[in-house]
Amino acid sequence: MNKKALFQLSYGVYIVCSQYEENFSGCIINTTTQITAEEKPKISIAVNKENYTNKLIQKSKKANISVLLQTTPFEFIGKFGFRTGREFNKLDGTNYKMGTNKIPVITENTSAYLECSVLESIDVGTHTLFILEVDDAEILEENSVLTYDYYHNVIKGKTPPKASTYQGN
């Protein structure tokens, strides 16, 4: 099987954040899909089970998604994608606001954000697939969003081992 065929699927690049009590974390994900468009839209996200963010989503039953802009610097992506929230406060020096759901929303390098509640979580091996209901959403900037294709081919970013699309380097 040529798994590189999976790279032909379209992906965006997002930051998912969660908080439980005083514990916060956020991480980069590329698997976010709109499922429905009804009054309260449903989306799905996949988060590696080893990520601290996954554990906080499981506990709080809430997650906020920030849609990154195409102009997002690689260093900013690295801050959320290549470090763990267990050992590093990703909010230090990052522009954010508190969502109505009491979870931080990253506003820096962000075109839009979604505030969500967990409806269901499904174990899919290395990852948890979260089915989320969108409780609130806002557009911050109407410019091109960062796609995974752009991240790989223009920014020349690598796929970290915990990403759902990781195939080895």
Side-chain angles (χ1 to χ4, degrees):
M1 176 185 334
N2 186 347
K3 290 186 177 179
K4 290 189 180 189
L6 296 168
F7 288 146
Q8 299 302 305
L9 298 173
S10 296
Y11 299 97
V13 181
Y14 313 92
I15 295 176
V16 59
C17 294
S18 195
Q19 184 168 328
Y20 183 73
E21 297 172 343
E22 72 282 350
N23 301 308
F24 164 83
S25 194
C27 65
I28 297 287
I29 62 171
N30 68 331
T31 44
T32 299
T33 304
Q34 180 178 338
I35 301 169
T36 69
E38 58 210 30
E39 184 177 326
K40 282 208 150 188
K42 311 300 183 285
I43 66 171
S44 66
I45 62 171
V47 182
N48 190 291
K49 288 194 267 185
E50 293 180 16
N51 283 3
Y52 187 45
T53 305
N54 183 310
K55 296 187 183 353
L56 296 178
I57 295 170
Q58 296 273 11
K59 289 181 178 182
S60 71
K61 304 294 186 211
K62 297 176 186 175
N64 290 344
I65 315 298
S66 295
V67 181
L68 293 180
L69 290 162
Q70 190 175 70
T71 55
T72 301
F74 181 75
E75 295 76 24
F76 186 81
I77 295 167
K79 180 179 190 176
F80 283 89
F82 297 101
R83 301 183 81 169
T84 177
R86 287 181 181 96
E87 301 165 0
F88 175 74
N89 183 350
K90 297 178 183 188
L91 291 179
D92 280 349
T94 302
N95 295 331
Y96 70 95
K97 70 177 198 167
M98 289 307 289
T100 57
N101 62 3
K102 308 292 189 239
I103 304 289
V105 173
I106 305 304
T107 56
E108 185 174 348
N109 299 305
T110 298
S111 69
Y113 67 86
L114 311 171
E115 294 185 45
C116 305
S117 298
V118 175
L119 294 175
E120 188 174 347
S121 59
I122 304 163
D123 185 328
V124 291
T126 58
H127 287 65
T128 303
L129 181 68
F130 293 100
I131 307 299
L132 307 173
E133 182 172 71
V134 180
D135 300 315
D136 197 11
E138 292 296 331
I139 295 175
L140 300 177
E141 191 174 323
E142 297 213 26
N143 282 312
S144 297
V145 297
L146 180 58
T147 65
Y148 213 44
D149 182 65
Y150 189 90
Y151 171 78
H152 280 289
N153 294 314
V154 177
I155 297 175
K156 303 294 185 193
K158 301 290 183 203
T159 303
K162 290 183 183 177
S164 59
T165 54
Y166 182 72
Q167 296 181 13
N169 289 328

